[in-house]
Amino acid sequence: MTNKLKIRFREPMADALRNTVAVILPLLLLYNKYPQTGIGITVGALLVSLTDLPGHRRHKTQNALWNIGVFFVTALLFSICVSQAVWGGAALVVFTFVLALLAAFGARSAATGTMSIALMIFTLGLKPANPLYFSLYILEGCCWYYGISLLQVYLLPFRSLHQALREALLATANVLEAKAMCYDTSIPLEDSYKRTIKLHLNIAQKQENIRQLLLSDRRAIRKQQAELQDLVNASIRIIGLYELVTAMHYDYDAVRQQLNKLGILEHSKKLIQLLAAQARYVGRKWPYQNPESTIVPEFNDHYKQLDTLTEKLAAEEAAVVKGILTNVRAIHDQLNAIQEHKAEDTPAEAIALQDFLTLGGSWQNRLLRHLNWYSPVFRMSLRLSALLLTGYLIITLFSSDQYSYWCLLTIVIVTRPQLAVTWQRNIQRVVGTLVGAGIAFGLIIVIPYTPVLLTIAAFALLGFFVWNRPKYDWSVVCVTVCVVLCLNLYHGALTAILSARVVYTIMGCLLGVAGMYIFPAWVGSRLKELLDRAIKGNRVYLEAVLNSPNQRDIWLTRKIAHERLAQLAEAIGHARPEPHEHNIIALDKLQILNYRINAIITSIFLASRKKDAKPSVDRLDTALRYLSAKDLSYEEQKALQLPEKPALLKGTTLLLYLAAELYHERRTM
């Protein structure tokens, strides 16, 4: 693949460095002579930078225009109202409800809404004397930041897609590590399955991100750019790699019992761990071609040893080991093809790629879907408005502290639609604030030199941008260090700053947790529906494998089945801490069965592409009936006789037994 400009920094670090420079530079240039201007531009650049999600040129340009307009209007209207306490409170509630509803349009609009609410809270703290000038400063900050961001994306149009593909490869490496655990008898098999399902949720999100970045820019696709076609082929290969990893599935209970001899399990585990290391190596180096990894000779050595051991096994056991060898060789070859930028066997032009893009419909329909009491977005908007009103009344009536707005800022940042996520964010926020305050206090005591402290504050801001999404607690530590150092240098009163930071953070977190019981949107109420959707997704996937001659249809049903499995896994995770009782143990077992069924369907599909492979149609039809049925009569169950259970279940027989087990487990709920 040719690249006009080689990216030496990975996207997260490059973006963090860009954001840090965009935020700091206006303050350095303007603060001494024009402090209000410098602060306004810096606040605008800081907040708008947090709305700038990965995307292609069209996404970034549309996002820039939208965010600049929303920020300017919000700043102007709210700064006019904030001079009067009553009008300020009323505007805060109304604007918060409207801005929080933007989450109905997706992640980008949700970020716009959240940061616009944060802008109102900063306005409360800054108390601008001239609303128009302040709004223009915010506008300048937004334009300044997006000028840099758009220049970057026009010079490097596919950098976000490169990063998304790298992340998908690295996430697949983690799945391979989890698969290797299935061959380790010291690790409970259920723990291995749970870890794999958790990673599947991560993979599903990353694959959807790839589709959005790759397929939503129709203009670029129409131009048929050579680099874009390479990226399409790479995307198909990387998604196909996960398909191969998913298909590497067996009856691991029996495998552990029957093959725990001659070092077979240990060799199998090592082979898969080496594949994970190779996937990680390719993911870190991609898209640049590099020398063959040093892992390959060790992989070949273990492969030969395991192949030799099959001669000492019974026919049934040898067939399973040979299946493992076939799987790992296919994954190894796929990784090599990704590194060498080989095209897929099925040309991208032969697939209707746009069908794989998840569409939300018109903006009117998307909004109307959430304008009802049952919508989590609607309830979240009401909850956040009520919480901010409560916090606003408390700090207005009982506090004259200039930093009291930190309480409201904390509420906005930690409050999420789900209790599990809100609780996690609260813990991370409190712990990060306490650690950051302690570090800042120590630095101020030990280091008396202002330039050194300012430099540390700049690096702390960089750390905030680096860790804001992947490690929120680390980012809280960094931003606390930055804020305390800067405020102490320019305003003094270290004790007041530290106490305010800690007290108002804890107050905001307490309100955030209490707010979960105001207009709650419990995930547990949807678990049965999501379980039925996941089972139906697998059934439709199996029907396509059994009946459809079109590979595109099979891939499309596989995508839908994967998404529904991920939605179920996410919902079960969010429902665990909820106050209502849910049979989580039974749900865990059902989602594991669903995941295993999906994996076997994929392995049957891949095997069916070979001319000499003919799966048992009768067993697949019976499995379909188990997946379709909710309540079979005794006569119907008797008619669906299972074949005699062999020592090592595999292929269609394993699928049939898993489908029957799923049916019976589902009935006991």
Side-chain angles (χ1 to χ4, degrees):
M1 183 180 296
T2 59
N3 292 277
K4 294 181 180 179
L5 293 173
K6 184 171 181 177
I7 308 167
R8 296 189 178 274
F9 293 104
R10 292 301 184 222
E11 186 177 21
M13 176 58 75
D15 286 352
L17 189 60
R18 175 201 66 203
N19 294 357
T20 304
V21 171
V23 170
I24 289 176
L25 197 57
L27 201 61
L28 291 176
L29 295 176
L30 299 171
Y31 188 81
N32 286 333
K33 290 187 177 181
Y34 309 101
Q36 297 303 319
T37 304
I39 291 172
I41 293 175
T42 295
V43 169
L46 171 65
L47 295 178
V48 87
S49 69
L50 298 174
T51 68
D52 190 18
L53 303 182
H56 48 66
R57 288 174 178 173
R58 186 172 64 84
H59 271 163
K60 292 266 190 177
T61 304
Q62 291 176 345
N63 208 40
L65 296 173
W66 168 247
N67 286 325
I68 289 170
V70 172
F71 269 53
F72 176 71
V73 171
T74 302
L76 180 61
L77 295 180
F78 188 72
S79 58
I80 291 172
C81 297
V82 80
S83 58
Q84 298 291 327
V86 174
W87 284 108
L92 182 65
V93 171
V94 174
F95 290 177
T96 295
F97 178 77
V98 173
L99 291 168
L101 274 179
L102 292 179
F105 304 114
R108 293 179 183 279
S109 296
T112 300
T114 301
M115 288 303 106
S116 297
I117 297 169
L119 174 59
M120 291 194 295
I121 295 168
F122 269 95
T123 306
L124 275 174
L126 293 171
K127 298 180 175 62
N130 190 312
L132 179 59
Y133 283 179
F134 174 75
S135 305
L136 289 173
Y137 299 153
I138 296 295
L139 178 64
E140 289 174 23
C142 294
C143 292
W144 155 251
Y145 170 79
Y146 268 116
I148 298 172
S149 179
L150 291 178
L151 176 63
Q152 187 182 37
V153 78
Y154 273 84
L155 290 174
L156 301 166
F158 301 117
R159 60 188 297 274
S160 291
L161 183 53
H162 285 166
Q163 180 63 22
L165 291 169
R166 279 194 293 269
E167 288 178 357
L169 276 169
L170 295 173
T172 306
N174 293 334
V175 176
L176 281 165
E177 288 281 5
K179 288 280 187 179
M181 291 166 57
C182 295
Y183 297 88
D184 189 338
T185 55
S186 66
I187 299 173
L189 198 52
E190 188 173 342
D191 291 350
S192 302
Y193 287 143
K194 286 181 179 179
R195 174 168 167 74
T196 305
I197 290 170
K198 184 177 179 180
L199 292 170
H200 171 77
L201 172 60
N202 187 33
I203 284 276
Q205 293 168 342
K206 294 189 182 304
Q207 289 186 357
E208 181 59 27
N209 189 29
I210 289 171
R211 294 185 193 101
Q212 291 293 331
L213 290 169
L214 183 66
L215 304 178
S216 59
D217 192 357
R218 297 181 181 179
R219 182 181 299 177
I221 291 175
R222 284 197 300 267
K223 288 182 178 179
Q224 298 289 313
Q225 298 176 4
E227 185 175 358
L228 183 62
Q229 290 306 308
D230 286 340
L231 288 169
V232 170
N233 289 325
S235 300
I236 294 172
R237 282 279 183 191
I238 290 171
I239 293 174
L241 174 66
Y242 182 64
E243 182 181 55
L244 291 170
V245 173
T246 302
M248 190 169 58
H249 188 86
Y250 301 93
D251 181 9
Y252 289 113
D253 279 316
V255 166
R256 288 183 173 193
Q257 293 172 16
Q258 300 292 320
L259 300 180
N260 193 13
K261 54 188 175 183
L262 303 175
I264 289 174
L265 290 181
E266 188 59 35
H267 279 300
S268 301
K269 174 186 169 185
K270 187 63 179 177
L271 266 176
I272 298 169
Q273 287 176 332
L274 288 170
L275 281 176
Q278 186 188 3
R280 200 164 280 115
Y281 173 82
V282 175
R284 286 172 179 161
K285 301 294 183 181
W286 195 89
Y288 312 115
Q289 295 190 24
N290 292 277
E292 189 177 70
S293 168
T294 55
I295 299 163
V296 174
E298 188 179 359
F299 172 86
N300 290 332
D301 183 52
H302 279 279
Y303 187 93
K304 290 176 183 176
Q305 290 183 52
L306 189 57
D307 192 26
T308 303
L309 288 173
T310 58
E311 299 173 3
K312 302 177 182 180
L313 299 174
E316 190 176 27
E317 296 170 344
V320 172
V321 176
K322 286 187 177 295
I324 294 171
L325 289 171
T326 301
N327 285 142
V328 297
R329 177 56 69 184
I331 294 169
H332 180 266
D333 292 343
Q334 185 81 336
L335 284 167
N336 286 339
I338 291 168
Q339 186 174 8
E340 296 168 9
H341 303 287
K342 291 181 180 177
E344 245 289 350
D345 296 335
T346 303
E349 294 81 0
I351 307 167
L353 293 174
Q354 292 295 326
D355 292 342
F356 291 84
L357 186 62
T358 303
L359 300 175
S362 67
W363 69 267
Q364 297 97 327
N365 290 335
R366 294 166 78 177
L367 180 60
L368 287 173
R369 280 202 302 268
H370 291 281
L371 288 179
N372 63 80
W373 179 249
Y374 300 101
S375 165
V377 172
F378 185 82
R379 292 193 179 197
M380 172 67 183
S381 302
L382 288 174
R383 184 188 313 135
L384 190 55
S385 298
L387 286 174
L388 288 182
L389 176 60
T390 304
Y392 180 78
L393 291 174
I394 291 172
I395 65 175
T396 301
L397 297 174
F398 303 108
S399 175
S400 58
D401 193 332
Q402 63 178 324
Y403 303 121
S404 59
Y405 69 94
W406 284 344
C407 173
L408 303 182
L409 193 61
T410 299
I411 291 171
V412 172
I413 292 170
V414 301
T415 303
R416 291 294 180 268
Q418 300 84 16
L419 175 61
V421 182
T422 299
W423 184 251
Q424 181 185 31
R425 296 275 287 194
N426 271 273
I427 294 172
Q428 292 173 329
R429 185 76 181 180
V430 171
V431 172
T433 298
L434 292 173
V435 172
I439 292 173
F441 178 77
L443 290 170
I444 291 168
I445 296 300
V446 172
I447 302 173
Y449 305 108
T450 298
V452 176
L453 291 174
L454 284 174
T455 303
I456 293 172
F459 276 101
L461 182 61
L462 176 66
F464 164 72
F465 283 119
V466 169
W467 299 113
N468 185 41
R469 292 191 181 97
K471 295 281 186 180
Y472 178 68
D473 46 354
W474 293 16
S475 76
V476 175
V477 172
C478 292
V479 77
T480 302
V481 170
C482 178
V483 168
V484 172
L485 290 181
C486 291
L487 289 178
N488 180 68
L489 288 171
Y490 288 105
H491 297 293
L494 175 61
T495 304
I497 294 169
L498 289 173
S499 60
R501 188 72 181 181
V502 172
V503 168
Y504 289 123
T505 294
I506 293 174
M507 185 188 301
C509 288
L510 290 174
L511 285 170
V513 172
M516 281 307 303
Y517 298 90
I518 303 173
F519 312 120
W522 305 125
V523 179
S525 61
R526 297 188 62 232
L527 286 176
K528 191 175 185 306
E529 174 196 346
L530 292 171
L531 174 62
D532 290 342
R533 280 169 51 83
I535 294 171
K536 183 179 178 181
N538 274 338
R539 188 188 76 230
V540 174
Y541 182 23
L542 180 56
E543 286 173 346
V545 169
L546 188 58
N547 301 318
S548 177
N550 191 332
Q551 183 166 280
R552 168 200 158 278
D553 293 341
I554 298 173
W555 281 1
L556 195 55
T557 56
R558 180 194 67 191
K559 167 186 174 283
I560 294 169
H562 281 183
E563 287 175 347
R564 292 183 178 182
L565 285 171
Q567 290 165 2
L568 176 62
E570 184 179 37
I572 291 174
H574 288 161
R576 290 181 192 278
E578 291 182 358
H580 302 288
E581 289 188 8
H582 307 293
N583 194 346
I584 296 295
I585 295 174
L587 285 166
D588 277 336
K589 188 168 185 179
L590 285 165
Q591 78 161 335
I592 288 171
L593 285 169
N594 255 316
Y595 178 80
R596 296 181 66 192
I597 287 169
N598 182 273
I600 297 299
I601 295 171
T602 300
S603 67
I604 291 170
F605 163 56
L606 293 178
S608 68
R609 294 200 293 187
K610 300 175 183 177
K611 294 181 180 179
D612 57 342
K614 294 182 179 179
S616 172
V617 175
D618 290 341
R619 290 178 184 176
L620 291 180
D621 281 334
T622 307
L624 270 173
R625 293 188 65 185
Y626 273 116
L627 290 175
S628 303
K630 291 187 178 180
D631 192 13
L632 293 170
S633 66
Y634 174 77
E635 290 76 15
E636 288 173 319
Q637 289 186 56
K638 191 175 180 181
L640 296 177
Q641 290 292 331
L642 298 177
E644 184 179 350
K645 190 173 184 179
L648 282 169
L649 286 168
K650 59 181 181 178
T652 55
T653 307
L654 176 56
L655 175 64
L656 181 52
Y657 270 90
L658 289 174
E661 186 178 355
L662 176 68
Y663 166 75
H664 291 294
E665 288 291 335
R666 190 181 180 191
R667 289 189 68 193
T668 61
M669 280 193 66

